[in-house]
Amino acid sequence: MTYRVLLADDQALLRGAFRMLLESAGDITVAGEAGDGREAVRLARELRPDVVVMDIRMPEVDGLAATAEICADPALRDTRVLILTTYETDEHVAQALRAGAGGFIGKGIGAEELADAVRTIAAGDTLLSPAATRSLVARFLATPDDPPAHESGRLALLTPREREMVALVATGLSNQEIAERMFLSPFTVRAHVQRAMTKLEARDRAQLVVVAYRTGLARVTPQSGRASAE
């Protein structure tokens, strides 16, 4: 399988470097490049890439606004966004996930890690496994305003097992890790997670995590600042 990527960064030199890193992986091809958020949205609609690798700080329209526009477009439901930026702040992580991004990583990442990140995002998973990132995301998403009524209402559609799976996904566990913890097969876990995503109208695991924190299915343990499942 070959993954098609759209690169969005206002620095042509960096786009060139990322292109070489990604295409050296063998199973990734760069379908296009954008120098600002507006162009990224236009090219995403034109090219329908599997993943948009998006910088945050760009002229005209920034990466967060472009991410929100891409993720809100029903025609781009199969296109995922990976935020790749120098500015790994708490606020940016939370804003990126709320906008619908599937992951958030720093530009210091290596070639192999970047390729793995693209594959992970393309598969519909999210890059929230590092403990530090989980903690930052949880701290922002665990204490928002009251969740929208439609989010709270949809929780009633979940079975007890699905609620449990959503809470575990929110702690950053992969399907394999959840399977080992629950003594289930990864296929069974994936089926439960997919059904929960459909019921909650979440386009990917990142949005599932946002819903989990906003509705209280997962929260930060005050003593440790780490994410925990309810």
Side-chain angles (χ1 to χ4, degrees), residues 60-77:
E60 302 294 334
V61 176
D62 68 25
L64 294 175
T67 295
E69 191 168 349
I70 289 171
C71 293
D73 189 339
L76 295 176
R77 184 174 180 83

Side-chain angles (χ1 to χ4, degrees), residues 3 5 7 13-30 33 53 84 105-119:
Y3 301 98
V5 171
L7 293 174
L13 186 61
L14 283 179
R15 294 200 307 271
F18 293 145
R19 175 186 283 272
M20 286 190 294
L21 290 176
L22 288 171
E23 293 192 333
S24 68
D27 61 343
I28 298 174
T29 181
V30 175
E33 298 182 17
V53 177
L84 180 60
I105 56 178
K107 287 185 176 178
I109 196 170
E112 185 174 343
E113 293 172 299
L114 178 57
D116 284 342
V118 167
R119 297 183 190 106

Side-chain angles (χ1 to χ4, degrees), residues 15-224:
R15 294 200 307 271
F18 293 145
R19 175 186 283 272
M20 286 190 294
L21 290 176
L22 288 171
E23 293 192 333
S24 68
D27 61 343
I28 298 174
T29 181
V30 175
E33 298 182 17
D36 59 62
R38 181 174 290 111
E39 187 178 18
V41 174
R42 180 182 64 79
L43 288 177
R45 288 171 173 154
E46 176 185 326
L47 301 172
R48 306 293 176 90
D50 298 302
V51 177
V52 179
V53 177
M54 183 85 73
D55 187 23
I56 287 182
R57 296 198 175 183
M58 294 186 290
E60 302 294 334
V61 176
D62 68 25
L64 294 175
T67 295
E69 191 168 349
I70 289 171
C71 293
D73 189 339
L76 295 176
R77 184 174 180 83
D78 294 329
T79 294
R80 313 297 183 189
V81 177
L82 172 63
I83 299 291
L84 180 60
T85 181
T86 305
Y87 306 97
E88 297 180 82
T89 66
D90 298 4
E91 184 178 0
H92 283 154
V93 173
Q95 288 179 343
L97 291 178
R98 286 176 179 146
F104 188 104
I105 56 178
K107 287 185 176 178
I109 196 170
E112 185 174 343
E113 293 172 299
L114 178 57
D116 284 342
V118 167
R119 297 183 190 106
T120 298
I121 297 300
D125 291 334
T126 185
L127 295 181
L128 296 177
S129 50
T133 301
R134 288 204 306 269
S135 178
L136 295 177
V137 172
R139 187 170 291 113
F140 270 82
L141 299 182
T143 56
D145 297 332
D146 292 337
H150 70 279
E151 287 186 357
S152 298
R154 283 203 299 265
L155 281 183
L157 300 175
L158 301 183
T159 66
R161 177 66 83 183
E162 288 166 353
R163 290 170 69 99
E164 189 175 22
M165 293 296 172
V166 172
L168 290 172
V169 167
T171 66
L173 296 177
S174 66
N175 287 349
Q176 181 64 46
E177 291 168 332
I178 294 173
E180 292 172 358
R181 175 178 293 198
M182 303 301 297
F183 302 102
L184 299 169
S185 73
F187 177 82
T188 298
V189 171
R190 183 175 180 83
H192 282 305
V193 172
Q194 291 290 343
R195 282 196 294 270
M197 287 173 59
T198 298
K199 291 178 180 180
L200 295 173
E201 298 181 13
R203 59 179 280 132
D204 53 32
R205 288 170 73 102
Q207 285 197 350
L208 201 61
V209 170
V210 171
V211 173
Y213 285 117
R214 285 174 61 82
T215 57
L217 275 179
R219 64 182 68 250
V220 175
T221 303
Q223 293 82 358
S224 65

